[in-house]
Amino acid sequence: MSSFLHGYHVRANGVRLHLLRYGGQGPRMLLLPGITSPAITWGFVAERLARHFDVHVLDFRGRGLSWSVPGMDASLDAMAGDVLDLLEVQGWSSAMLLGHSMGARVAIRAASRDARRLDRLLLIDPPVSGPGRRPYPVPLSWYVDSIRMAIQGITADELRPYAPTWTDEQLQLRAEWLHTCSEEAVVQAHAGFHNDDIHADLARLQTPGLLMTAARGGVVLAEDLAEIETLAPRLQQCTAHSAGHMIPWDDELDFHRLLGEYLEADLL
């Protein structure tokens, strides 16, 4: 039986944000997806987490059913502002943030600005590119080309070259929803991977949490982990050894095992 409860909209930071809610019991968790992952694509993760947590999955601006217009500000600061104002508008006195990739960078920026309502950070393979650092390993064209194909209409099989390890169900869901990702928002986010100094944010973190990285992703390397341990000692580190950057898609069981161990919750 599904733990999905409902979708809903909130006006926060001057825009309309769409979320999906699962479970409804236990500590509150706000899930922040990656650069081209509408909220619904994280349903298979939210279903498991909902056994123990009140899970809310966000459609970032420019994605899914959230606000999206030409000329929008879809910068890291804007998205972090959305998250912080969402917590305020909803009256949530406490929440965990679980962010993957871009969503993890948003969680880091938000927590570095205002951590008063944040209990823990669960950071899944955040890009550690930035000014003067090596580039993010996935080129912008990978995202833009697939979005343009999706706008024209794309099948799961046509998407398979972009994500060869994914299941048919995962590819079908991506084929259905990828067209809702604004190319303009994605271009801004990808540029932010290289222009925003996330390491300065890490040095300001006071919120405890987990940093889970992918051994086969090429996004976070051993030398990055050593630096982050110095910058943010309150982040416990773990590695998904068989997964690439899309950890829950590449090795769902190990993702839930590692996350469950940290949260002291049986997610398997």
Side-chain angles (χ1 to χ4, degrees):
M1 181 177 178
S2 174
S3 61
F4 174 70
L5 296 177
H6 55 84
Y8 65 101
H9 292 87
V10 175
R11 185 166 181 80
N13 200 26
V15 302
R16 174 182 48 79
L17 299 174
H18 174 256
L19 299 98
L20 301 176
R21 190 180 186 189
Y22 295 78
Q25 303 294 320
R28 186 175 295 110
M29 180 183 292
L30 178 59
L31 200 158
L32 307 176
I35 187 169
T36 54
S37 295
I40 195 168
T41 63
W42 276 82
F44 72 107
V45 173
E47 290 279 4
R48 290 207 187 203
L49 291 171
R51 301 173 187 173
H52 304 276
F53 304 97
D54 180 13
V55 183
H56 302 251
V57 191
L58 176 65
D59 270 331
F60 276 114
R61 56 171 63 198
R63 296 158 182 89
L65 300 182
S66 283
W67 175 81
S68 183
V69 298
M72 79 183 89
D73 179 359
S75 64
L76 179 62
D77 277 335
M79 292 185 287
D82 291 348
V83 169
L84 291 172
D85 200 44
L86 172 65
L87 300 176
E88 177 77 25
V89 169
Q90 291 291 86
W92 293 347
S93 59
S94 64
M96 284 178 277
L97 297 184
L98 188 160
H100 171 250
S101 192
M102 182 194 77
R105 285 173 68 96
V106 173
I108 293 167
R109 176 60 56 92
S112 73
R113 283 173 47 179
D114 185 355
R116 290 174 297 171
R117 298 172 183 266
L118 302 179
D119 292 334
R120 283 190 277 190
L121 301 178
L122 308 170
L123 307 175
I124 313 302
D125 219 43
V128 292
S129 45
R133 296 179 179 271
R134 71 178 186 278
Y136 181 61
V138 182
L140 177 61
S141 60
W142 188 92
Y143 301 104
V144 170
D145 291 349
S146 59
I147 290 171
R148 290 177 179 178
M149 291 172 65
I151 288 171
Q152 298 300 317
I154 193 172
T155 67
D157 284 339
E158 289 170 326
L159 267 181
R160 195 175 302 279
Y162 291 87
T165 63
W166 291 18
T167 66
D168 290 345
E169 183 180 6
Q170 290 163 349
L171 287 168
Q172 287 165 359
L173 200 59
R174 186 168 180 82
E176 181 183 359
W177 282 88
L178 184 58
H179 78 280
T180 69
C181 296
S182 158
E183 180 179 326
E184 187 174 0
V186 170
V187 168
Q188 288 185 52
H190 195 273
F193 288 171
H194 303 90
N195 299 328
D196 294 312
D197 186 1
I198 209 70
H199 291 79
D201 296 325
L202 285 165
R204 290 191 290 267
L205 286 185
Q206 298 298 317
T207 309
L210 177 71
L211 173 63
M212 184 191 303
T213 55
R216 300 182 179 181
V219 174
V220 186
L221 305 181
E223 56 265 34
D224 301 316
L225 292 174
E227 181 181 7
I228 292 171
E229 187 173 18
T230 300
L231 291 173
R234 301 194 72 185
L235 293 179
Q236 178 178 317
Q237 297 184 7
C238 67
T239 302
H241 291 286
S242 300
H245 180 57
M246 303 296 286
I247 298 176
W249 285 260
D250 288 348
D251 195 338
E252 182 181 356
L253 290 180
D254 201 36
F255 170 77
H256 285 116
R257 179 186 66 81
L258 291 168
L259 192 59
E261 286 177 356
Y262 175 75
L263 294 171
E264 299 181 341
D266 182 9
L267 301 178
L268 297 177

